[in-house]
């Protein structure tokens, strides 16, 4: 069975509030990540094509972990178990042998993104949090950092997808 993304990628509005722009760019990049797997089999989405072993499926699991840390733990203040991290094996999100399958991981990712949309819907970008390492940050910086994280990894996803089946795109 070939993957179909459950997220629709919409261009962010050209005119928007600061918080609206931050949230719409996050959604754009979330949908872009899943778009990179569109039409692939689960095996192809988990196929390593570069020396590091990075896969499209692994990128999504990695971003699930990063989103949970910054938005659920740091912004919402909720300490919860991570689906791909047991407190000892930092790169567990890349280990697909521990996966329940692509669809289960996509469902978890999409549910988390929906939850984070609720967390950030009316958050004050000027509000600050303190990370577990004691660094004070404003929420604006966290959201911009996540947009940067997605942009970087979506670039990786472009290359990985091209190596899998030659498909290129934005």
């Amino acid at each position: 069975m070939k993957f179909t993304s459950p997220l629709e990628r919409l261009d962010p509005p050209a005119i928007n509030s600061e918080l609206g722009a931050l949230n719409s760019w996050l959604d754009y990049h979330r949908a872009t990540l899943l778009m990179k797997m569109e039409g692939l089999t689960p095996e192809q989405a988990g196929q390593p094509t570069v020396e590091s072993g990075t896969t499209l499926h692994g990128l999504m699991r990695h971003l699930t972990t990063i989103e949970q840390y910054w938005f659920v733990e740091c912004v919402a203040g909720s300490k919860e178990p991570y689906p791909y991290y047991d407190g000892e094996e930092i790169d567990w999100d890349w280990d697909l042998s521990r996966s329940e399958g692509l669809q289960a991981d996509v469902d978890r990712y999409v549910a988390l993104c929906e939850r984070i949309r609720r967390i950030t819907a009316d958050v004050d970008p000027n509000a600050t949090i303190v990370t577990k390492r004691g660094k004070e940050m404003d929420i604006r910086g966290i959201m911009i950092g996540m947009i940067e994280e997605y942009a970087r990894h979506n670039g990786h996803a472009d290359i990985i997808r091209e190596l899998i089946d030659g498909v290129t795109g934005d």
Side-chain angles (χ1 to χ4, degrees), residues 2-170:
K2 305 243 179 191
F3 177 75
T4 302
S5 176
L7 299 181
E8 179 183 5
R9 186 174 82 163
L10 302 172
D11 288 334
I15 299 172
N16 209 341
S17 67
E18 178 184 19
L19 185 59
L22 293 167
N23 278 310
S24 62
W25 276 106
L26 278 168
D27 279 342
Y28 176 87
H29 281 292
R30 290 169 178 144
T32 298
L33 178 68
L34 293 188
M35 186 180 80
K36 298 303 174 183
M37 293 189 284
E38 190 80 36
L40 296 178
T41 65
E43 294 75 26
Q44 288 173 308
Q47 177 183 335
T49 58
V50 292
E51 189 67 31
S52 67
T54 303
T55 65
L56 294 172
H57 186 169
L59 281 171
M60 182 197 55
R61 287 167 55 99
H62 170 67
L63 284 158
T64 301
T65 300
I66 301 303
E67 289 245 27
Q68 181 171 334
Y69 172 72
W70 284 112
F71 294 114
V72 174
E73 188 168 327
C74 292
V75 175
S78 181
K79 187 86 169 152
E80 301 170 15
Y82 287 83
Y84 312 123
Y85 177 61
D86 65 5
E88 295 178 26
E89 297 181 47
I90 294 170
D91 288 334
W92 188 17
D93 45 359
W94 300 103
D95 184 358
L96 298 184
S97 71
R98 295 178 182 238
S99 174
E100 299 167 51
L102 179 61
Q103 192 59 56
D105 289 340
V106 168
D107 291 347
R108 185 176 290 113
Y109 174 76
V110 169
L112 179 66
C113 290
E114 290 171 4
R115 181 178 178 198
I116 291 167
R117 277 187 209 95
R118 290 189 300 274
I119 291 169
T120 62
D122 59 2
V123 72
D124 177 3
N126 294 310
T128 60
I129 58 95
V130 178
T131 68
K132 61 185 172 189
R133 294 191 176 123
K135 182 177 181 183
E136 185 175 16
M137 299 180 66
D138 63 29
I139 292 173
R140 173 186 304 100
I142 291 169
M143 295 178 82
I144 290 170
M146 276 305 304
I147 292 166
E148 184 276 333
E149 180 91 2
Y150 269 105
R152 182 167 22 98
H153 287 314
N154 282 337
H156 298 147
D158 282 336
I159 294 166
I160 293 167
R161 178 60 189 258
E162 185 174 358
L163 291 169
I164 290 170
D165 65 0
V167 169
T168 60
D170 59 4

